[in-house]
Amino acid sequence: MMRRLVLLCAALLCACSPAPTPGTARLRVSVTTTLTPPAGTSSLLAVSLEGGDGQALSGALASVTEPGGALSALPFDPQTLSYRARLAGGDGIYQVTVDSAAAGVLTAEVPVLTLSPAPALTDLQDGLGARALSGARLSAATPIRVEWSATPQADRYLVDVRQRGVVVWSGQSTQTSLIVPAGTLQGTAGPGVLSSVTVTASALRGDTAFRSAPFLSVSSAPSGASGFQVGP
Amino acid sequence: MRRLAPVALLGGLLFTACGTPTDDARILFPLPGAVLDSPVKLEANRPGTWRIRGEVFGTGRQASLSAAPGPQTVTFEPEAGGLVQTLEVTVSDPFPSGVPKRVNVSGGTLTLPAGTFSVILGNPAERIWRGEVQSSREAEQEALTPQTTSGERTRAASPPDPAAFQESQVRRLVQRGVQAARPPFQAQEVSPPPARSRTIQMPDLVRGGSRPVQAELVWSGPGVAAYGEHPERWSLETRAAVQTISARFAATLWPRTQATFGAASDVDGDGRVLLLFSAHLNETQQAVGLFNPADLFAPGPDNADSNGAEVLFLGLPTPNDLNFSAASLTATACHEGTHLIHLARKTLSRLDDPDPPVEELALSEGLAHLAEDLCGYGQSGGNGAFVAAYLARAAQTSLTGVDLAGVGDSVARRGAAYLLLRRAYEQMPRGWAQRLVSSPETGLSGLAQTTGQTPTALQEDLWWTLALAGRLPGPAHRFAPQHPDPETGDLSGIDLTAGRVSIGELAQVTLQGLPEARSWPRALPGGALVYRRLSGEQTLNGLDGLLVLVRREEPETVRAKR
């Protein structure tokens, strides 16, 4: 037992130790892709180039080749110390190339994914059976079950519940339903408290720590806000 | 051992985070005693096996139970062992007889069992819905084509649309920061007598802009001064009719309108509203009356057409003309006066706000038609014609937006907006109309804010009220019975199944409720609905984006219809 514990801790320490070799320039690419109907999809591409001394390199020639072959320059943004551009291209592999005197030519292939269609709310029901989509007021004293349609390729879903415009509860699930615990929302007699729920489908490709991959590609598709009334 | 202690502690923490849970397995949803539609969605905090009457219907944390209506006992056996949970719920009848229901159509599909149903498909959004609804019982679907022409001779707007012009004009003045001609609600001093003759800028509905009219005083009384353009050319009958309209407006209708919607502004400080009777409106046939919102804003380079005074423009009373009958003109004075109050209380009083509210045209017109009704001209003023036009084209008429041909203001849309507001007026306590007019919110949002209902719920109620007209005995989904106005003797309110209704002495329309559509449409403007009665087991597909309302017909109703 003692032996197993020691091994486990060694693995834990290994996971927390720095991976890159000191003195090597490296590239980190992040892409945030959002589906915003009816405008469509837009992707924000940001490339940071770190020299061997850990400082950001600003003088490189950075470019991205879209899956369709279009080539775009990535201008340096001194505020974020990264090479950035907003792209309107679709799904596929984007080839990022950064050429600098200090670090030479570095490349990365970054997958970009558009999540579509956005999730749509299919049910919003309280623990006693009242359904908001049938016009009923939900009871704040019971658990409230939120259900939505699946978005292909989504890894998980983020759910935000707002009351009077303020987020009062958030949750996430890899399934297509979640339960808001009883007593989380406020409810009043009469028409009730105007509330809304938003579900955002999300997918992640790459590595959040930029270790196993030099990129992080995050895609999201938010549903529209669905309003409902909450009683006691 | 002593050196290993920190490691052991760390390991302990790790096991606490990842180890076997200590809390018992339990059913999270629904609660015992819940009444739910089938399929019932169940969820526990741990995986397990779900059973009903010993039969397994699901495994895992979540399960879905399809069961017949009635009480059901569900058991849940946790996978990791522990106590078996029991849950008593009642599966409800999805379509109880005679009860209007909003149906949750996940996946855009509605399955109807055997029986006869009233089905409403409505577009609760502002944008046009396009799609194709298919029924398993109907092989062919027929699109409802938009009808944009109307033959009614009512106060219909036709291009150029004076009402639409007014709304855009207000937005332009507000955006340019033009101020009120004077503090709009400043207490008036002693009113000076009205001038016997004065120049009034009158909107030119043919050429645009305005033209100066040399107006002569033809009648004056408390709070009202009536002027005429070339009154020397009027017949004795015309002069008498103008004076009768003006006297009735001053004595009864204008005080009643202000009591209902709030006090009017007094931007010129003369303590009165001016009526200008002009044959220009009869000649152009584009409006029976109008109110120029620019008149409440300060005259200046950005607002050259302003009179800086409260002015209502009316046509000349003309025998044998439905539009320009004395009743129609009197009702129109209330109508235009309500536009004046609405603008003053919603917009003019908030000109110092960063973004002053400007009422949406549909709501503004609906409220003005409600004012005609409340002034005592519910029938003779012509609202019945607007309502009849709407009922005939409900599937093509947007409640607040544009129809399939891109037309905004129309006879039918005004009828729809009047019905929506009449319904709210009947259900809300006294003072609601003033709160609506003074609310900083506009359009359906303003109506929702002042009624405590969501816009969707308001539309749902209106749609059921239309579809079930004449078929329900109780007050739910039904307009209040009409009653005679104590001043005019005209009927106040609306009866959607009244049959033939006289509009003055000159015309009749027929109100027979909302006609049943023969097929499902392929497009519905925002706020439009289509209503059908369906019999027999069937499935409807393609309902995504629509509000689906279903009522199982009671056997008596079905028999009566046969």
Side-chain angles (χ1 to χ4, degrees), chain B residues 198-202 211-213 215 227 274 276 307 311 313:
Chain B
R198 63 181 288 172
T199 301
I200 295 177
Q201 289 294 130
M202 180 172 184
R211 63 187 178 90
V213 170
Y227 288 86
L274 310 181
L276 176 63
N307 288 298
V311 188
F313 301 90

Side-chain angles (χ1 to χ4, degrees), chain A residues 122 127-128 131 133 147 177, chain B residues 31 34-35 37 41 62 102 104:
Chain A
T122 55
L128 296 174
R131 281 193 147 119
L133 299 189
E147 184 183 278
S177 69
Chain B
L31 296 182
V35 180
D37 291 341
K41 304 295 177 66
Q62 300 171 338
R102 190 196 299 181
N104 181 13

Side-chain angles (χ1 to χ4, degrees), chain A residues 2 5-6 8-9 12 122-123 125-129 131-135 142-145 147 175 177 179 191 194 229, chain B residues 1 4 7-8 10-11 14-15 28-32 34-37 39 41 43 62 102-104 106 452 454 460:
Chain A
M2 186 72 72
L5 275 176
V6 172
L8 191 57
C9 288
L12 197 72
T122 55
D123 205 358
Q125 188 175 35
D126 71 17
L128 296 174
R131 281 193 147 119
L133 299 189
S134 299
T142 75
I144 292 173
R145 184 174 179 276
E147 184 183 278
Q175 308 293 312
S177 69
I179 291 180
L194 187 59
Q229 308 286 127
Chain B
M1 281 297 285
L4 284 175
V7 175
L10 185 59
L14 203 69
F15 271 85
L28 297 176
F29 190 93
L31 296 182
V35 180
L36 308 111
D37 291 341
K41 304 295 177 66
E43 188 162 337
Q62 300 171 338
R102 190 196 299 181
V103 182
N104 181 13
S106 58
T454 62
E460 180 182 348

Side-chain angles (χ1 to χ4, degrees), chain B residues 438-463:
Chain B
S438 302
S439 162
E441 299 285 331
T442 60
L444 278 180
S445 297
L447 190 56
Q449 187 221 1
T450 54
T451 57
Q453 299 282 324
T454 62
T456 302
L458 289 165
Q459 292 179 85
E460 180 182 348
D461 172 69
L462 175 67
W463 294 342

